[in-house]
């Protein structure tokens, strides 16, 4: 087991900066997830730890020893791939024992260790079978056993559950968590699946465009997202643009197109009066109310334009103005008619505030009106459509 | 009324009758005819006798010229196929693992090289390998000029030159069926570069590698132009002896028996190789270079 330190890693491919100064300190026995959309640099970072990619600048250290120029096979790694990468010409026992044979362990010890690992992954009877005779889930468990056989310094996993279907993925998540806790191996895990990241990790490094957007425990990032993108990528979020009008005791007053909103002041970020800002709130903190104003709450008027039944909750889409829609998590026991005027309310304490920046990827800026333009259902929307067309 | 099935394949199979008929007329029928001819007496001036006889075969197997030639042909073909494999494997590996646009260019050049007639290739080689040619001049530092032309060495060089593009294409298809992640998994779990090669890549591609080598071997066994031009009449391979008995001796039955022996020995060697291969145990995800696979390899590159 090792502590893994990534120091100022950067990489350019053909003039493009795919990794831009990434530094992470992975503690001994920690489960760290590199999370982000495709092309964010998470896989490149993992491959640098593995030694498949050399960083242009920066260092990779295991327990303080510089490994940047150490070849992959000398790094004592365990690695799990999305496509399992089991050796098709070797049976399961030989696959699991691969690293042990490469290290020159005596045969008797290898077969003993292989039996232990097959018991660990709860597949004690498949040793003689070939990978192609196993199901996807079984193959991935064998791949995990192979990665753990030689007690690696670091376990690297590159979207290991990506090829499995939903139910199996959930079962495997649980199994992975149990095995990792039992063995306490330092693990770096790459995924684009936020739920997987939230449920498995000790800490998450949320990445975007080759940079770390936020590094913290799942709770920290979810409760206190440092950037609009962090708020957008983990969980769901609604944004309203506005302008900072006034600083009160413990709260900012922000003017939006439909009224004033309050936002708690936090120490880490300073805003000045007149700044363009982005107010953000999660759907689960919103409620649909009939009464116009409540103490300690932010309220915006709107109209329900659509509702989506997802099983656990009903998601209401509430149009606040031409540019802004809110997603509100509601329950089934109250039915709200479409096109009904409503008030969207939430506690001031659940409000996040960010400096405003156009970012179409997360639905802030010009492109955010587009989905509403496409779905025309009534007279009200027909007006919006023509307005939007006039705008463009 | 019979039920019509939308997925009934039978009407389409009727289309196969035409190619079947064509192959029968152009391939099976002449083949059967010359095999039959090999069991008859030569009456001279291209006439074939009525009587059935084994005399042609007795003559082949009792004359050291023909037995020696058969063994020499097998030896030279095996040698050039092995050299092709040794040179071709690294090249195909590099091409198969390439991701840049240059891959398409290289595969295109290979295909083009494959379709150049051996006559043209051999003329080039004759110029290079002649007494005062480039090769001998380059080697002059170490030795006196070597007689490449008219020697077995020259023929092997020619055969390798002739079959190399094909084996590179065939091996390329086989190697590209091995996912890169297998190599990475082996590296990550402590295998050195050599161990990855001998312990992972070779065992997985082995069936395809043997098939590709056999194809090259078969081409070399039947090659006429290259031994004729580079052997200069002094390296008597089996196809050259066949040509001589047809053109010089006008002995069709004897030429037919030589052809039959070449056909049967190539067939037997391939069956033997296949049998040895199948005894290697259970092969999973068998990688073998079918012609269709070659075309997809070419397409992928393009």
């Amino acid at each position: 087991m090792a502590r893994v330190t990534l120091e100022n890693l950067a990489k350019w491919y053909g003039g493009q900066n795919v990794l831009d100064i990434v530094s992470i300190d992975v503690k001994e026995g920690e489960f760290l997830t590199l999370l982000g959309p495709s092309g964010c640099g998470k896989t490149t970072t993992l491959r640098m730890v593995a030694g498949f990619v050399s960083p242009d600048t920066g260092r990779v250290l295991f327990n303080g020893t510089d490994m940047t120029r150490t070849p992959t096979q000398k790094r004592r790694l365990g690695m799990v791939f999305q496509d399992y990468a089991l050796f098709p010409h070797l049976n399961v026992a030989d696959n699991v024992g691969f690293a042990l044979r490469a290290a020159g362990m005596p045969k008797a010890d290898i077969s003993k260790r292989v039996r232990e690992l097959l018991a660990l992954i709860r597949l004690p009877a498949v040793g003689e079978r070939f990978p192609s005779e196993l199901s996807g889930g079984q193959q991935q468990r064998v791949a995990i056993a192979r990665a753990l056989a030689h007690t690696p310094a670091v376990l690297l996993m590159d979207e290991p559950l990506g090829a499995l279907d939903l139910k199996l993925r959930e079962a495997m998540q649980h199994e992975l968590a149990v095995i990792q806790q039992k063995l306490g191996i330092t693990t770096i895990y790459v995924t684009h699946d936020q739920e997987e990241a939230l449920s498995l990790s000790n800490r998450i490094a949320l990445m975007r465009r080759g940079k770390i957007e936020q590094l913290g425990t799942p709770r920290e990032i979810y409760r206190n997202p440092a950037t609009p993108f962090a708020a957008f990528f983990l969980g769901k979020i609604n944004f309203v643009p506005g302008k900072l009008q006034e600083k009160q005791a413990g709260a900012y007053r922000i003017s939006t197109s439909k009224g004033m909103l309050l936002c708690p002041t936090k120490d880490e970020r300073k805003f000045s009066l007149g700044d363009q800002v982005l107010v953000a709130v999660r759907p689960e903190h919103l409620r649909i109310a009939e009464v116009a104003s409540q103490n300690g709450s932010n309220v915006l008027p709107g109209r329900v334009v659509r509702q989506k039944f997802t099983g656990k909750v009903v998601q209401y889409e509430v149009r606040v103005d031409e540019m802004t829609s809110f997603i509100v998590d509601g329950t089934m026991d109250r039915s709200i008619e479409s096109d009904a005027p409503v008030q969207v309310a939430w506690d001031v304490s659940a409000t996040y505030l960010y400096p405003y920046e156009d970012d179409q990827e997360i639905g802030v800026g010009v492109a955010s009106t587009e989905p509403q333009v496409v779905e025309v259902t009534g007279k009200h929307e027909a007006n919006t459509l023509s307005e939007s067309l006039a705008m463009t | 009324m019979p039920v019509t099935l939308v997925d009934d394949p039978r009407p389409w199979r009727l289309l196969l009758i035409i190619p079947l008929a064509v192959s029968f007329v152009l391939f099976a029928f002449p083949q059967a005819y010359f095999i039959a001819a090999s069991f008859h007496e030569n009456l001279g001036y291209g006439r074939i006798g009525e009587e059935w006889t084994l005399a042609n075969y007795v003559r082949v197997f009792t004359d050291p010229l023909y037995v020696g030639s058969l063994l020499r042909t097998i030896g030279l073909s095996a040698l050039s196929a092995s050299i092709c494999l040794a040179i071709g494997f690294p090249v195909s590996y590099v091409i198969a693992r390439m991701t840049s646009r240059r891959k398409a260019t290289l595969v295109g050049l290979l295909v083009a090289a494959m379709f150049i007639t051996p006559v043209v290739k051999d003329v080039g080689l004759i110029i290079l390998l002649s007494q005062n040619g480039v090769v001998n001049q380059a080697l002059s530092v170490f030795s006196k000029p070597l007689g490449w032309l008219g020697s077995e060495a020259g023929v092997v060089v020619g055969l390798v030159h002739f079959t190399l593009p094909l084996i590179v294409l065939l091996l390329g298809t086989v190697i590209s069926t091995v996912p890169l992640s297998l190599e990475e998994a082996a590296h990550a779990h402590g295998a050195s570069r050599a161990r990855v090669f001998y312990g992972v890549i070779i065992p997985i591609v082995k069936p395809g590698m043997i098939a590709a080598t056999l194809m090259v071997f078969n081409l070399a066994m039947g090659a006429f132009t290259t031994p004729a031009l580079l052997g200069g009449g002094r390296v008597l391979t089996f196809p050259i002896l066949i040509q001589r008995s047809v053109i010089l001796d006008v002995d069709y039955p004897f030429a037919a028996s030589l052809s039959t022996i070449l056909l049967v020995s190539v067939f037997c060697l391939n069956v033997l190789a296949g049998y040895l291969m199948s005894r290697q145990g259970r092969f999973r995800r068998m990688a073998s270079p079918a012609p269709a696979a070659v075309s997809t390899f070419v397409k992928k590159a393009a």
Side-chain angles (χ1 to χ4, degrees), chain B residues 26-279:
Chain B
L26 293 180
F27 183 73
F29 180 70
Q31 211 84 347
Y33 183 79
F34 87 71
I35 290 174
S38 72
F39 292 99
H40 291 287
E41 196 191 350
N42 176 33
L43 299 177
Y45 306 110
R47 288 170 303 150
I48 298 167
E50 296 282 309
E51 296 276 306
W52 290 89
T53 170
L54 281 174
N56 293 319
Y57 289 93
V58 173
R59 194 180 140 203
V60 173
F61 287 113
T62 49
D63 189 335
L65 170 71
Y66 295 107
V67 179
S69 168
L70 182 63
L71 294 177
R72 182 182 307 117
T73 311
I74 293 173
L76 293 180
S77 302
L79 182 61
S80 23
S82 315
I83 294 174
C84 261
L85 179 63
I87 301 176
F89 198 99
V91 178
S92 3
Y93 180 83
V94 170
I95 293 180
R97 288 286 182 249
M98 273 173 92
T99 47
S100 67
R101 250 174 284 156
R102 259 177 304 171
K103 179 177 182 172
T105 318
L106 288 179
V107 172
L109 287 174
L110 273 175
V111 173
M114 204 169 65
F115 287 118
I116 292 172
T117 161
V119 179
V120 173
K121 286 186 176 179
D122 291 340
V123 167
L125 278 179
I126 287 171
I127 296 168
L128 289 179
L129 295 175
S130 64
Q131 196 71 16
N132 302 314
V134 179
V135 174
N136 273 338
Q137 276 173 23
L139 289 175
S140 64
V141 187
F142 309 104
S143 68
K144 59 184 195 317
L146 299 171
W148 289 100
L149 300 177
S151 75
E152 292 185 348
V155 172
V156 169
V157 170
L159 289 175
V160 169
H161 188 231
F162 166 44
T163 50
L164 195 57
L166 178 70
I167 201 167
V168 170
L169 277 178
L170 293 172
L171 288 174
T173 7
V174 179
I175 294 168
S176 52
T177 62
V178 182
L180 193 61
S181 62
L182 286 186
E183 288 178 39
E184 292 179 344
H187 271 307
H189 297 119
S192 61
R193 193 73 214 151
R195 202 186 174 89
V196 172
F197 187 74
Y198 291 109
V200 177
I201 300 173
I202 292 291
I204 296 173
V205 302
K206 203 159 143 203
M209 198 174 81
I210 292 172
T213 313
L214 274 179
M215 284 190 209
V216 165
F217 171 80
N218 296 342
L219 268 183
M221 284 294 284
F224 170 74
T225 322
T226 302
L229 292 179
L230 292 168
R234 267 168 286 174
V235 181
L236 298 178
T237 62
F238 231 59
I240 288 190
L241 294 181
I242 294 172
Q243 185 255 3
R244 288 191 171 186
S245 46
V246 174
I247 304 294
L248 299 182
D249 307 340
V250 204
D251 187 344
Y252 293 156
F254 187 65
S257 70
L258 290 176
S259 306
T260 309
I261 288 166
L262 185 62
L263 188 74
V264 170
S265 50
V266 167
F267 184 77
C268 289
L269 287 169
N270 281 277
V271 169
L272 179 71
Y275 170 72
L276 291 177
M277 211 167 78
S278 68
R279 275 186 17 155

Side-chain angles (χ1 to χ4, degrees), chain B residues 107 111 169-170 173 289-302:
Chain B
V107 172
V111 173
L169 277 178
L170 293 172
T173 7
V294 176
S295 66
T296 51
F297 176 64
V298 174
K299 262 186 233 148
K300 254 189 221 160

Side-chain angles (χ1 to χ4, degrees), chain A residues 27-318:
Chain A
K27 297 183 204 93
E28 210 173 298
E30 188 179 21
F31 194 118
L32 180 108
T33 299
L34 301 172
L35 175 72
S38 51
C40 71
K42 55 189 194 296
T43 300
T44 308
T45 308
L46 188 84
R47 293 174 71 79
M48 281 179 182
V49 181
F52 297 143
V53 174
S54 288
D56 290 338
T57 70
R59 300 194 299 165
V60 175
L61 301 108
F62 288 6
N63 280 336
T65 315
D66 189 350
M67 302 295 260
T68 321
R69 308 285 159 217
T70 309
T72 300
Q73 61 265 31
K74 300 210 170 110
R75 294 190 183 195
R76 227 159 59 79
L77 303 169
M79 192 153 181
V80 181
F81 297 79
Q82 181 173 12
D83 65 351
Y84 323 133
L86 293 174
F87 305 119
H89 61 296
L90 299 178
N91 66 22
V92 167
D94 287 343
N95 263 290
V96 174
F98 186 89
L100 304 175
R101 252 176 302 124
M105 194 190 237
K107 263 197 177 144
D109 296 353
I110 293 179
S111 59
K112 184 167 163 271
R113 181 79 181 131
V114 167
R115 273 199 303 278
E116 278 171 29
L117 278 149
L118 291 179
L120 178 75
I121 57 164
R122 296 187 292 109
L123 288 174
V126 300
E128 294 301 309
R129 291 211 233 153
F130 280 83
S132 57
E133 293 164 336
L134 303 178
S135 71
Q138 288 175 327
Q139 286 188 50
Q140 198 54 299
R141 273 146 76 186
V142 171
I144 291 165
R146 177 181 66 180
L148 294 171
H150 51 304
T151 1
V154 190
L155 177 62
L156 305 177
M157 299 206 241
D158 190 1
E159 309 221 5
L161 309 183
L164 305 175
D165 61 51
L166 184 65
K167 284 284 166 207
L168 197 53
R169 205 154 63 214
E170 282 170 357
M172 286 290 293
Q173 272 180 28
H174 174 72
E175 204 152 336
L176 262 180
V178 169
I179 290 175
Q180 203 268 344
Q181 270 163 24
K182 198 189 279 180
L183 304 178
I185 285 182
T186 313
T187 304
I188 303 179
Y189 189 97
V190 162
T191 185
H192 60 257
D193 182 335
Q194 46 134 335
E195 253 173 67
E196 219 168 275
L198 287 173
S199 64
L200 285 171
S201 328
N202 296 124
R203 279 193 304 161
I204 296 173
L206 180 64
M207 296 182 70
R208 187 193 197 194
R209 295 174 183 160
K211 286 195 173 104
I212 294 180
E213 195 88 359
Q214 190 171 5
L215 178 63
T217 66
R219 274 160 211 269
E220 272 165 24
I221 300 184
Y222 190 84
R223 284 195 186 154
N224 206 353
T227 62
F229 178 77
F232 168 81
F233 202 81
L234 260 90
K236 281 197 155 55
I237 194 83
N238 297 301
F239 292 115
V240 199
K243 196 173 174 186
L244 195 79
Q245 291 292 357
E246 205 185 329
K247 230 171 176 175
Q248 292 180 336
Y252 295 117
R253 276 170 70 84
I254 293 125
S255 68
T256 69
S257 65
K258 283 289 156 78
M260 282 292 177
L261 295 177
L262 290 175
C263 185
T265 48
K266 284 177 189 135
D267 298 329
E268 62 257 43
R269 210 181 276 112
K270 297 273 180 262
F271 294 94
S272 7
L273 294 182
D275 278 0
Q276 294 292 323
V277 291
L278 200 58
V279 177
V281 60
R282 294 209 184 272
E284 65 264 32
H285 293 137
L286 296 174
R287 24 180 217 280
I288 288 179
E290 274 94 32
V291 198
S293 71
Q294 286 154 308
N295 260 351
S297 288
N298 283 320
V299 178
L300 284 177
R303 228 168 244 281
V304 176
V305 290
R306 204 172 337 174
Q307 30 191 302
K308 193 166 101 186
F309 176 69
T310 65
K312 200 164 47 186
V313 294
V314 181
Q315 289 181 348
Y316 296 101
E317 187 183 329
V318 179

